[in-house]
Each structure stands twice: as C-alpha cells, then as structure tokens.
Amino acid sequence: MTYPAACALIAEDEPLLARDLARTLTRLWPALRICAVVHDGDSAVEAAQLHRPDIVFMDIRMPERNGLDAAQSIVDDWPEGQPLPLTVFVTAFDRYAVDAFEQAATDYVLKPVVAERLALTCERLAGRLRERQGSDDAAALAPIKALLGVRTAEPPLTVIQAGVGSTVHMVPVADIHYFAADDKYVRVVTAERELLIRTPLRELSPRLDATQFLQVHRGTLVRTTLIDRVVREDTGRIHLFLKGRPEKLSVSRSYAHLFKPM
C-alpha cells in the first residue's frame, strides 16, 4: 500500500514510549512527517495550533489535561474551512474500555504499542485521508463528542453549594445563567453575582438537567431559555448573548451546528 504524505502530532507523557511510537511510525509510513512530540495535554493543544497536523496520536492519561479534553480543545480551536485532524487514542485501558474507544475514535492503539497493530492503524488512517476530501467534519467530531458527551441517569441537581471563606452559599440551579470553566475552578454565574466551585465541568455537566442547560463550548454550559441572540462574525466565529448579562459567550466549532436559522 502506498501511503500519502502527511504530518502527525504525538502526545504521550512517557518520553520513551513517545520515541518508540515515532520511530515505528517512521518505519511503517516513510511519507509521514512527525511535526511534534509533546508530553502533556496543554502542549498538545499548542502544538496542534502551531503545526496543523493531519493526524494526532493522543495519549489518554496525561498531566494537567487528559487526552480527551485536549482532543476536544484541538477541535474547538481548529480554523474554519480546514479539515480536522484524524485522532488516534493511545491507551493502556483494559479490553472493556478499549471497546468503547473502538466505537468512538478514528482508531486506538493499545499500550505497549505493537508494530503489527500500528500497521493496521496506518492503513486505516491512509484510507481516511484519501476519502475525506470534500467531506464535512461530522465524522471527525463524532469521536470526541461520543467520549465526552455521556450523561448519567442521576437526578439533576437543584442547588449548587459554593463556598466563600467559611460560608457556603446555596445557589438554586434555576437562578444560574451559565457555568464557565476558569482555570482550576468553575464560575457559577447568575444575574446578580458570580461564585466559584471546585467541581470540574466534566463532572458537573452530567448532573444538570440536559433540557435546561446546553454545552456551547468545552468550558461553557448555558441555560437555553436565557439565550437572547446569536451573532456570527465575518470570521465564522459565533457568540451568544444571554438575557440579563452583558458579556458575550463563545460557541466552539463542535457546537456551531446547534445555532442555524430555522
């Protein structure tokens, strides 16, 4: 099989494994250029913005930001009109977890990486690179959404407990305009005030009523009934304005399809 020229980003927190993966890929796919090798999720997002790779080999468990969050960030920040990279998740998870990744990802590689299995991955990727010209980004977005968008059957929260010093403020969920990730915290924003909680957005989201809150960015959940207007800029970027709040909220590429005229 003849492989097309392409470039790949490797995100793997163990340097020896990253070098072995790069070496094996170079041998299996001579036309593949390794544009960067990084060792954490934040660096993976930065490298993807800089190099615009065709393929990303993404470790799942990495410092600071895991591979799933990093992959979502790459999709969100990708320029409009450019084909999204094909994502291969690299995982040491057991067989049951791998089954889930196999259904959602472009492909997966199980650690320790075996050359024979990686060769199959290369064939699959080469075929996808040939096929995707002229196609939309739905297939590339689906893996990340499938892995990040699972909601549980827990009863939805009705109150958020936000600590300020020695005081715990009980904030009714019905009063909340939006949630926004802010460094190591999540901002809880109502019409009159903002409070901080430590519960990550990815843990909070499944505990909210999905009919009341809509994810519009990897770090933002908004109350749907308070969306006042949606503005699309000349650059293709989309922003929301909420009733009772002055700021504008960004809509990422992953969720832009939710805001089309009827």
Side-chain angles (χ1 to χ4, degrees):
M1 181 176 183
T2 302
Y3 293 103
C7 64
L9 164 66
I10 295 175
E12 164 60 62
D13 70 334
E14 298 184 42
L16 287 177
L17 294 181
R19 284 197 293 270
D20 286 345
L21 178 58
R23 189 180 300 115
T24 306
L25 283 170
T26 300
R27 178 167 56 84
L28 294 172
W29 191 335
L32 183 68
R33 178 173 61 88
I34 308 299
C35 58
V37 177
V38 298
H39 306 299
D40 62 79
D42 289 335
S43 297
V45 175
E46 294 174 3
Q49 293 173 346
L50 177 64
H51 297 286
R52 303 299 181 201
D54 302 295
I55 302 164
V56 176
F57 289 88
M58 184 73 74
D59 188 13
I60 299 297
R61 291 179 174 173
M62 291 188 291
E64 300 299 331
R65 184 186 299 193
N66 67 43
L68 297 181
D69 288 342
Q72 178 69 53
S73 298
I74 290 170
V75 169
D76 289 345
D77 297 334
W78 204 255
E80 293 285 341
Q82 292 189 19
L84 289 167
L86 302 176
T87 301
V88 177
F89 291 115
V90 183
T91 176
F93 290 176
D94 62 24
R95 181 67 242 177
Y96 297 102
V98 169
D99 285 341
F101 289 123
E102 190 170 15
Q103 294 300 316
T106 301
D107 202 357
Y108 74 94
V109 177
L110 185 62
K111 294 180 181 180
V113 176
V114 177
E116 290 77 8
R117 176 63 181 84
L118 189 59
L120 296 177
T121 296
C122 290
E123 290 181 10
R124 184 176 299 181
L125 290 168
R128 286 288 301 275
L129 288 175
R130 290 193 180 92
E131 293 171 359
R132 77 177 184 178
Q133 186 174 5
S135 65
D136 58 28
D137 290 335
L141 291 171
I144 315 302
K145 290 182 179 178
L147 292 168
L148 294 177
V150 178
R151 290 182 177 259
T152 68
E154 279 188 79
L157 291 171
T158 58
V159 173
I160 298 295
Q161 298 175 210
V164 180
S166 60
T167 303
V168 176
H169 294 260
M170 310 298 284
V171 185
V173 172
D175 293 345
I176 296 171
H177 281 51
Y178 68 93
F179 296 89
D182 188 355
D183 197 13
K184 296 181 180 179
Y185 297 90
V186 168
R187 287 189 295 127
V188 180
V189 183
T190 70
E192 296 85 16
R193 59 179 176 169
E194 298 186 16
L195 296 167
L196 297 176
I197 60 175
R198 291 183 178 274
T199 304
L201 204 61
R202 63 177 176 273
E203 295 180 15
L204 182 66
S205 176
R207 302 183 64 192
L208 298 172
D209 187 344
T211 66
Q212 296 294 316
F213 286 91
L214 181 68
Q215 186 151 13
V216 300
H217 192 277
R218 67 179 180 274
T220 312
L221 290 167
V222 303
R223 181 174 292 282
T224 54
T225 55
L226 293 179
I227 297 175
D228 182 42
R229 63 190 187 278
V230 182
V231 177
R232 183 184 293 272
E233 298 179 350
D234 292 340
T235 59
R237 295 286 184 181
I238 298 177
H239 294 96
L240 299 181
F241 291 85
L242 302 184
K243 300 171 184 176
R245 295 295 309 183
E247 63 270 33
K248 64 180 180 181
L249 303 176
S250 296
V251 177
S252 74
R253 181 174 183 168
S254 302
Y255 305 99
H257 67 281
L258 299 174
F259 301 98
K260 293 183 178 179
M262 296 178 65

